[in-house]
């Protein structure tokens, strides 16, 4: 990771106020990083913080997946995601996929104010960091056994999706 980090800020509706308060408190620290956010959260943050936020789609409209893709492509260094554990989300599979990508690609994740405080105040925030990225080449090149009489490719079978 470079000195200036690429930070994704995401919040569910019931957590937007918490994220905005946290971001305002940490405005000066966030200002020298590249900040991304989903939908309405990005609009609110840009207005409240007074600096440019790269705004993606709203979470339910694909914003969570956009951030997940940026994680895979090494375009997001860490994720601050204030999600609401008490509210069922119609896009819950997208939320799980986003959190999964953060773990798969070994980027730091903060899911509440306390963990975000610890992360943003870490001495690692102001320097370069050599993040260990797992080597998935063995997984990518593994041999997939196909059942007799099927025309399915590796990605099309139930085993390929597991």
């Amino acid at each position: 990771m470079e000195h200036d980090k690429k930070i994704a800020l995401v919040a569910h509706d019931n957590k937007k106020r918490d994220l905005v308060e946290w971001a305002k408190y940490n405005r000066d620290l966030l200002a020298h990083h590249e900040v991304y956010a989903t939908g309405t959260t990005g609009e609110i943050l840009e207005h409240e913080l007074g600096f440019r936020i790269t705004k993606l789609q709203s979470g339910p409209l694909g914003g969570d997946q956009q951030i997940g893709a940026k994680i895979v492509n090494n375009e997001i260094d860490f994720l601050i995601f204030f999600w609401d554990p008490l509210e069922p989300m119609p896009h819950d599979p997208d939320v799980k996929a986003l959190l999964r990508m953060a773990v798969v690609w070994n980027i730091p994740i903060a899911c509440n104010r306390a963990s975000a405080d610890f992360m943003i105040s870490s001495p690692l925030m102001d320097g370069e960091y050599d993040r260990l990225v797992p080597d998935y080449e063995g997984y990518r090149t593994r041999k997939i056994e196909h059942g007799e009489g099927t025309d399915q490719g590796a990605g099309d079978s139930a085993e390929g999706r597991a």
Side-chain angles (χ1 to χ4, degrees), residues 34-47:
E34 192 172 341
V35 179
Y36 295 80
T38 52
T40 309
T41 304
E43 294 288 341
I44 295 168
L45 287 169
E46 191 169 79
H47 179 265

Side-chain angles (χ1 to χ4, degrees), residues 10-42:
V10 182
H12 285 156
D13 288 345
N14 291 344
K15 298 294 183 174
K16 286 188 191 327
R17 182 183 306 164
D18 289 345
L19 181 65
V20 169
E21 288 174 6
W22 178 86
K24 285 170 68 173
Y25 182 81
N26 292 289
R27 185 214 177 277
D28 293 341
L29 291 170
L30 290 169
H32 73 272
H33 298 287
E34 192 172 341
V35 179
Y36 295 80
T38 52
T40 309
T41 304

Side-chain angles (χ1 to χ4, degrees), residues 27-90:
R27 185 214 177 277
D28 293 341
L29 291 170
L30 290 169
H32 73 272
H33 298 287
E34 192 172 341
V35 179
Y36 295 80
T38 52
T40 309
T41 304
E43 294 288 341
I44 295 168
L45 287 169
E46 191 169 79
H47 179 265
E48 292 289 330
L49 300 178
F51 63 82
R52 184 181 164 287
I53 306 288
T54 300
K55 294 174 287 300
L56 305 171
Q57 290 293 326
S58 174
L61 299 178
D64 295 335
Q65 291 183 349
Q66 285 179 303
I67 289 180
K70 287 186 173 300
I71 291 169
V72 171
N73 291 324
N74 201 30
E75 297 170 14
I76 297 288
D77 294 320
F78 71 83
L79 172 64
I80 296 176
F81 186 0
F82 285 14
W83 58 279
D84 188 346
L86 302 179
E87 285 292 318
M89 297 293 146

